[in-house]
């Protein structure tokens, strides 16, 4: 077996474990990126977005777009409408991926999938993050309670009707607790806004 064939075999083995790849993943594994280009030309790997490739033959979940974005923007957190959809809360089916980034980070650029970016800082950014495995990629997504509170914080972006639906649905399905809602309301500084609606649940 030639060196070239061995490298390609190693790449395919890596892709079966981790079907969404960036060039840096190959470099970290000691595989020359040229092998990825060849597999792309052969139709074995396809380009998902700039610098991100995926194995054509793999079976993906309905949350593939979240995995692709997490691969491209690893320090981001899935938030708002995309997080609601991930947690199965409400009726929102956003065409774009909603993403939170640290206020001091550079704005991520992506045309596929399209991004809706919000900026947060301090505990409002770092608190309430769950790490999920989606299609072989570790994806950071805000937990249900943090997501609901964020909808009130960004009510002018998502709509007050969406925030209220998220609160009702998450409470009815027991995906949130009053303790967590109050905690994140303090973290996100929306206590006065959300208090009347929490009182109506109690």
């Amino acid at each position: 077996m030639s060196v070239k064939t061995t490298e390609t075999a190693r790449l395919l083995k890596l892709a079966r474990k981790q079907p969404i790849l960036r060039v840096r993943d190959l470099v970290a594994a000691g595989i020359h990126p040229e092998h990825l280009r060849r597999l792309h030309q052969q139709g074995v790997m396809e380009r998902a977005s700039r610098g991100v490739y995926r194995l054509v033959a793999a079976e993906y979940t309905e949350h593939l777009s979240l995995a692709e974005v997490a691969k491209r923007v690893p320090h981001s957190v899935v938030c708002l409408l995309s997080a609601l959809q991930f947690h199965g809360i409400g009726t929102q089916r956003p065409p774009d991926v909603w993403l939170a980034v640290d206020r001091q980070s550079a704005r991520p650029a992506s045309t596929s999938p399209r991004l809706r970016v919000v900026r947060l800082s301090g505990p409002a950014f770092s608190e309430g993050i769950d790490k999920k495995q989606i299609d072989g990629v570790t994806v950071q997504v805000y937990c249900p309670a943090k997501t609901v509170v964020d909808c009130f914080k960004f009510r002018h972006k998502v709509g007050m009707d969406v925030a209220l639906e998220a609160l009702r649905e998450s409470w009815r399905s027991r995906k949130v607790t009053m303790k967590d809602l109050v905690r994140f309301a303090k973290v996100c500084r929306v206590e006065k806004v959300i208090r009347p609606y929490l009182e109506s649940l109690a």
Side-chain angles (χ1 to χ4, degrees), residues 6-23:
T6 303
E7 287 288 278
T8 301
R10 286 181 60 212
L11 195 160
L12 286 172
K13 184 177 180 180
L14 177 64
R16 290 187 189 102
K17 292 181 180 178
Q18 191 176 328
I20 303 172
L21 292 168
R22 294 192 69 179
V23 171

Side-chain angles (χ1 to χ4, degrees), residues 11-12 15 18-21 36 39-47 53-56:
L11 195 160
L12 286 172
Q18 191 176 328
I20 303 172
L21 292 168
L36 178 60
L39 289 181
H40 178 241
Q41 289 177 336
Q42 294 168 14
V44 177
M45 302 290 293
E46 64 181 344
R47 186 175 183 269
Y53 293 81
R54 60 187 175 216
L55 185 63
V56 172

Side-chain angles (χ1 to χ4, degrees), residues 66 77-94 96-101 116-120 124 128 140-159 162-163 165-166 188:
L66 304 186
V77 187
V78 176
C79 66
L80 295 167
L81 303 191
S82 294
L84 288 179
Q85 182 181 23
F86 178 80
H87 292 302
I89 299 171
T91 57
Q92 300 303 309
R93 297 294 178 266
D96 306 332
V97 174
W98 287 74
L99 212 59
V101 298
R116 294 289 299 272
V117 178
V118 297
R119 293 184 176 279
L120 294 168
Q140 296 192 131
V141 56
Y142 285 123
C143 68
K146 174 64 160 58
T147 299
V148 170
V149 171
D150 277 342
C151 286
F152 282 87
K153 182 178 182 69
F154 293 101
R155 59 195 178 281
H156 301 303
K157 288 183 179 289
V158 304
V162 170
E165 179 191 51
C188 296

Side-chain angles (χ1 to χ4, degrees), residues 5 10 26 28 37 43-44 48-49 80 84 89 99 114 121 131 143-144 149 151-152 159 167 171 176 190 193 195:
T5 304
R10 286 181 60 212
L26 304 187
R37 187 183 69 80
V44 177
S49 60
L80 295 167
L84 288 179
I89 299 171
L99 212 59
R114 293 186 308 175
S121 61
K131 293 187 177 182
C143 68
V149 171
C151 286
F152 282 87
L167 178 60
W171 182 258
V176 299
V190 290
V193 173
R195 183 182 295 126

